[in-house]
Amino acid sequence: MDNHYAAYSNRAAIGDKASDEAGRPDLGMIVYFAAALDVVIIVLTAEVCSLIYSQLYEFERADILSKHLGAGILLAATFVTLFASKGAYRPNELMRVHKQVLRIALYGLISLGFLALLSFLFKIGDQFSRGTTLLFVIVCPLFIVLSRVFWAQWIPKATARGVLRARRIVLICAADYPSARLREQIADSGVILTNVLTLPKNQSVGQWMEVINTRIARSADEVLVAWESADLSSIRELLGELRMMPMPVKVALDPMIADMIRHPATRIGRLAAVEVQHAPLSATEHVLKRSFDVVFAIFALVSLFPIFIITAIAIKLDSAGPVFFIQRRRGCNDAAFGIVKFRSMTVLEDGETVVQATRNDARLTRVGAFIRSTSIDEIPQLWNVLLGQMSVVGPRPHAVVHDDNYDALIARYAFRRNVKPGITGWAQINGFRGETPTIDIMKARVEHDLWYIHNWSLWLDIKIVALTLVALADRSRAY
């Protein structure tokens, strides 16, 4: 059987399979249904909130096609585009409700911020009712979260009952490939693994494909090839044969190779070179990051000024001592500076011995325990940001004595100081916030800090700030 006849047979087989299942929508269609539902929820909520608020409080009859309809459409377009760009509408992602809630909060804040920016630039902010906006911000996220709960419960049931046709995958690998873990991951992703085919060592790829190509076509919608990265050259012939089959073919690589191919590639002569590590920040990136820091710090200081004053008064009334605590830290390129915090303890340690705060620490004042758990004690560091000593986002700075200790214990610890330290960071939003009682926890924090340095972008900073605001609701690791 030649390859052209094999390809024709495969198309015929797939055609038979498609006709048998034509009445059932593919599971992948959920992506479009979920996005469409989000658009409907956002647009209708904007309009209904406008009608309700105007009727109850403004006592004016509002036309259904109001100015808020346009705002709702713009918000929906921004929100859905952000969600779709990150693959968050995929069925397996929709079923992770907790992760979806975080994304709703993050992308919702970004969408509202974008709308606020446009309102400011075009001087149309006074066209929108603050009451309607507040009502929308409360109601709309609730309905979107409820939609995620619905999808998480309905998708597995619909797939089990045959209402939706789950994507079917055939796994092809070498005879000695350790496929057990990959099989588990495929099962967890919501697709059906119909077969695992191993390429025999004593038979050519072409001969083997002649035997199993129709079998693949009848039992799968997609082919997944898993191979050891050390033997990539041997799958070239296999991929060539699979090109004759009219279905998607994907290659699963080990984590190291998969991580490398996500980085930007450049050409050096005829060679493709992947940039796995770049300089901390270029001149242009320095300007972008500094601009973001200054704008954010000024905005945050103005917005939080009432909290700033109330906290200062509370500290003075609660215990003896200064309002602010200044401690020596090391910044970019080991430049020393004094980090500013609201005082939360009865001690002001800044010498050869600095003891990390622990849960139920006896040194904490009553006000101090609260402002540390809510991270209010960090607000004065916005002044460090304005002075250029810190950044809004970056590796968290530690006491000088702790830096000395960790420099000796962790090989790449000092690399963190290639950029300005931050008020929040990639490590903090990934669970490495607060106390570091073991060296392993600190090593994990350092790895996250280094990943941030090597993968910096303005978008990443914005994402970390937004996720930090969401993470502040969890006070379990802040003390």
Side-chain angles (χ1 to χ4, degrees):
M1 181 188 296
D2 61 26
N3 287 335
H4 294 290
Y5 179 73
Y8 177 82
S9 300
N10 292 338
R11 292 187 183 95
I14 292 174
D16 293 341
K17 176 183 65 179
S19 62
D20 292 341
E21 300 179 348
R24 289 193 293 162
D26 191 275
L27 181 61
M29 294 298 293
I30 292 295
V31 171
Y32 305 103
F33 295 145
L37 182 58
D38 279 356
V39 171
V40 172
I41 289 174
I42 294 171
V43 173
L44 285 184
T45 304
E47 193 60 29
V48 171
C49 287
S50 173
L51 288 169
I52 292 174
Y53 188 81
S54 63
Q55 291 293 331
L56 293 179
Y57 296 98
E58 296 178 5
F59 304 103
E60 296 178 2
R61 185 180 180 277
D63 189 358
I64 292 178
L65 294 176
S66 68
K67 58 203 170 197
H68 292 94
L69 180 62
I73 293 173
L74 180 60
L75 275 174
T78 306
F79 183 84
V80 169
T81 300
L82 289 170
F83 246 81
S85 67
K86 298 298 179 181
Y89 283 123
R90 291 195 298 262
N92 58 312
E93 291 293 328
L94 287 172
M95 291 188 287
R96 299 173 181 173
V97 177
H98 178 72
K99 189 174 181 181
Q100 285 285 312
V101 170
L102 294 178
R103 280 176 162 162
I104 290 167
L106 171 61
Y107 300 146
L109 285 171
I110 294 173
S111 301
L112 287 171
F114 179 62
L115 180 62
L117 177 62
L118 291 180
S119 300
F120 171 77
L121 292 175
F122 292 100
K123 298 181 180 180
I124 56 173
D126 58 345
Q127 300 294 312
F128 300 101
S129 165
R130 286 170 293 184
T132 299
T133 302
L134 180 61
L135 185 61
F136 174 83
V137 169
I138 294 172
V139 174
C140 188
L142 176 62
F143 279 106
I144 296 178
V145 169
L146 289 176
S147 75
R148 297 307 189 265
V149 174
F150 164 76
W151 290 123
Q153 295 180 353
W154 184 78
I155 289 174
K157 293 179 181 178
T159 305
R161 293 172 183 172
V163 177
L164 294 173
R165 182 171 60 86
R167 195 166 82 257
R168 302 174 303 170
I169 286 182
V170 164
L171 174 63
I172 299 179
C173 56
D176 56 351
Y177 184 84
S179 62
R181 177 58 180 158
L182 184 57
R183 294 187 196 191
E184 294 177 6
Q185 293 174 343
I186 292 173
D188 292 341
S189 67
V191 301
I192 298 174
L193 180 61
T194 59
N195 216 329
V196 179
L197 304 175
T198 57
L199 184 62
K201 294 182 178 180
N202 57 352
Q203 189 177 12
S204 71
V205 172
Q207 293 174 336
W208 182 70
M209 284 296 299
E210 287 181 1
V211 175
I212 57 89
N213 55 14
T214 303
R215 182 178 171 187
I216 293 174
R218 289 188 177 277
S219 64
D221 305 302
E222 184 176 308
V223 176
L224 178 65
V225 179
W227 222 261
E228 296 285 359
S229 59
D231 190 29
L232 289 179
S233 60
S234 65
I235 68 169
R236 182 175 300 174
E237 185 181 357
L238 174 61
L239 295 179
E241 292 288 339
L242 289 172
R243 288 193 183 96
M244 302 301 296
M245 305 191 70
M247 63 171 56
V249 177
K250 297 179 181 177
V251 179
L253 301 172
D254 64 39
M256 177 181 174
I257 301 298
D259 181 66
M260 287 178 63
I261 64 175
R262 284 198 293 265
H263 289 79
T266 57
R267 285 281 177 181
I268 301 177
R270 294 185 177 181
L271 295 177
V274 178
E275 185 180 49
V276 296
Q277 178 175 319
H278 60 80
L281 290 176
S282 67
T284 303
E285 290 171 337
H286 269 294
V287 172
L288 282 174
K289 187 168 178 63
R290 182 58 182 158
S291 300
F292 173 75
D293 287 343
V294 172
V295 171
F296 182 89
I298 292 174
F299 175 79
L301 281 172
V302 172
S303 303
L304 300 174
F305 187 71
I307 296 177
F308 197 98
I309 297 300
I310 293 170
T311 303
I313 295 172
I315 291 172
K316 290 301 292 184
L317 294 176
D318 181 53
S319 60
V323 170
F324 299 109
F325 168 50
I326 300 177
Q327 189 180 65
R328 290 178 302 117
R329 301 287 173 99
R330 290 195 182 114
C332 183
N333 296 326
D334 283 338
F337 72 98
I339 195 171
V340 186
K341 292 187 176 187
F342 280 124
R343 181 177 59 85
S344 59
M345 292 186 171
T346 56
V347 298
L348 302 171
E349 296 177 344
D350 187 23
E352 296 301 319
T353 302
V354 176
V355 180
Q356 281 191 342
T358 57
R359 192 178 298 277
N360 301 319
D361 199 311
R363 299 169 298 167
L364 290 173
T365 64
R366 288 173 297 178
V367 171
F370 175 76
I371 64 175
R372 287 181 72 93
S373 67
T374 55
S375 297
I376 292 175
D377 65 318
E378 311 283 4
I379 292 176
Q381 291 169 42
L382 292 166
W383 179 248
N384 291 115
V385 173
L386 285 179
L387 293 177
Q389 299 164 336
M390 293 181 64
S391 182
V392 175
V393 180
R396 285 293 294 159
H398 301 129
V400 172
V401 63
H402 293 164
D403 275 346
D404 292 337
N405 291 337
Y406 289 126
D407 277 343
L409 295 173
I410 303 175
R412 300 196 293 169
Y413 179 84
F415 292 175
R416 302 167 69 253
R417 299 194 291 273
N418 285 343
V419 297
K420 291 179 183 178
I423 299 176
T424 185
W426 183 245
Q428 282 62 48
I429 65 168
N430 281 283
F432 298 98
R433 175 187 179 198
E435 186 184 7
T436 52
T438 68
I439 191 67
D440 288 336
I441 292 177
M442 179 55 78
K443 285 181 178 179
R445 178 183 286 188
V446 169
E447 288 303 315
H448 281 76
D449 289 337
L450 296 180
W451 183 92
Y452 166 80
I453 292 171
H454 297 148
N455 294 275
W456 181 87
S457 68
L458 183 59
W459 163 249
L460 181 59
D461 272 9
I462 295 172
K463 176 181 177 180
I464 291 173
V465 169
L467 288 176
T468 297
L469 297 176
V470 175
L472 289 177
D474 179 14
R475 297 163 58 181
S476 61
R477 293 187 59 84
Y479 44 83

